[in-house]
Amino acid sequence: MLSDIKIILVETSHPGNIGAVARAMKNMAMHRLALVNPKIFPSAEATARAAGADDILAKAVVYDSLVDALADCQVVIGASARSRTISWPELTPKACAEMIASDVSKPSVGVVFGREHSGLKNEELDLCRYLLRIPSNPEFSSLNIAAAVQIVCYEFFAAQAVVEESRIGDKGESPLATAAQMELFYEHLHQALLDIGFMRPERSNTIMRRLRRIYNRIQLDTKELDILRGILRMAQDHQKS
């Protein structure tokens, strides 16, 4: 399970935090680190703070955008300490780890951590299926990013020992859709809803954000995604005729 989890840091401003995250990951036998537009990397300070986890830094992949970093992920989880006006399905680190550990399809997972001072933007959380919140003192809830990663990685490490192998119904014959496949679906859905006159362009952002919440809750697999896109194509063709 641990090899299927990618820790993703968005626009990290302090290179020492990258090194500390690498150390936290290696403590918990995790090695997939992705960096989206880090301010400074590589860095001697990151290497020093890694304290022996240099191999994690050496294999870290730098991306220009979060969309690119998530392209191969089937389950995307965004970590945030801030409350949001639009609700996402929320998980604690323990519940998140248990959910992933019990999934026999062994999905590729991306766990996204935002900027040190401002976290993730709403449009970045739009790419996430779940919101991960670490229970803490409500009067002082902001954690150092390395501390937050350490807590989350520990729960994943601990959960692998209690994996449940039973699954009712669907046995996971079709793999879960990746983030890249879901983005293509959302683009298709947006265009189809405009084509059939369901929504106006000026209101499309609000409606699409709500629709993302719906589809992100259900964990579509690739076969289900093909069916939905087939329905969209038929609706578009019917509108043209």
Side-chain angles (χ1 to χ4, degrees):
M1 177 187 81
L2 299 179
S3 63
D4 298 316
I5 299 169
K6 182 194 296 185
I7 300 296
I8 303 167
L9 308 183
V10 177
E11 296 184 355
T12 311
S13 60
H14 196 297
N17 284 331
I18 297 174
V21 165
R23 181 177 183 178
M25 290 173 62
K26 190 164 185 176
N27 287 155
M28 299 301 143
M30 297 176 66
H31 66 274
R32 298 183 65 197
L33 175 62
L35 307 172
V36 178
N37 290 325
K39 185 175 181 180
I40 303 172
F41 187 81
S43 162
E45 187 169 1
T47 302
R49 289 284 301 278
D54 308 52
D55 54 325
I56 307 295
L57 295 179
K59 292 184 292 185
V61 181
V62 178
Y63 294 91
D64 292 330
S65 72
L66 181 56
V67 170
D68 290 340
L70 293 173
D72 62 341
C73 297
Q74 296 167 308
V75 177
V76 182
I77 300 157
S80 176
R82 292 192 290 122
S83 298
R84 307 287 172 156
T85 54
I86 296 179
S87 61
W88 274 259
E90 288 192 15
L91 295 169
T92 64
K94 183 177 177 64
C96 176
E98 290 175 349
M99 178 189 71
I100 298 302
S102 64
D103 191 337
V104 295
S105 69
K106 300 187 184 303
S108 174
V109 179
V111 186
V112 187
F113 295 84
R115 302 152 189 84
E116 290 97 330
H117 298 295
S118 58
L120 294 170
K121 300 175 182 177
N122 278 344
E123 54 265 34
E124 292 165 340
L125 277 174
D126 282 342
L127 304 173
C128 302
R129 183 170 297 163
Y130 301 101
L131 178 64
L132 188 152
R133 298 282 295 274
I134 298 173
S136 59
N137 179 358
E139 296 180 2
F140 193 66
S141 61
S142 179
L143 288 169
N144 172 271
I145 189 170
V149 172
Q150 184 78 75
I151 292 169
V152 173
C153 289
Y154 166 76
E155 293 294 354
F156 280 118
F157 184 78
Q160 70 174 346
V162 291
V163 174
E164 296 179 2
E165 293 298 336
S166 62
R167 187 171 182 176
I168 298 173
D170 179 20
K171 300 299 181 182
E173 290 87 353
S174 297
L176 293 178
T178 65
Q181 290 168 327
M182 288 302 299
E183 285 307 304
L184 290 174
F185 167 68
Y186 290 131
E187 290 174 12
H188 190 176
L189 178 61
H190 180 269
Q191 187 58 53
L193 294 178
L194 291 175
D195 290 346
I196 66 174
F198 178 82
M199 65 185 182
R200 299 188 299 275
E202 64 271 18
R203 294 200 60 201
S204 63
N205 287 343
T206 300
I207 293 174
M208 286 304 301
R209 179 163 284 160
R210 292 288 182 181
L211 289 172
R212 280 175 176 268
R213 300 285 78 72
I214 295 171
Y215 285 110
N216 280 343
R217 286 198 292 266
I218 18 181
Q219 296 192 41
L220 295 171
D221 64 33
T222 53
K223 188 171 184 179
E224 292 165 340
L225 205 61
D226 287 343
I227 292 171
L228 287 173
R229 295 197 66 179
I231 294 171
L232 294 178
R233 283 191 290 271
M234 185 167 288
Q236 288 173 299
D237 290 343
H238 181 73
Q239 181 67 21
K240 294 174 184 177
S241 62

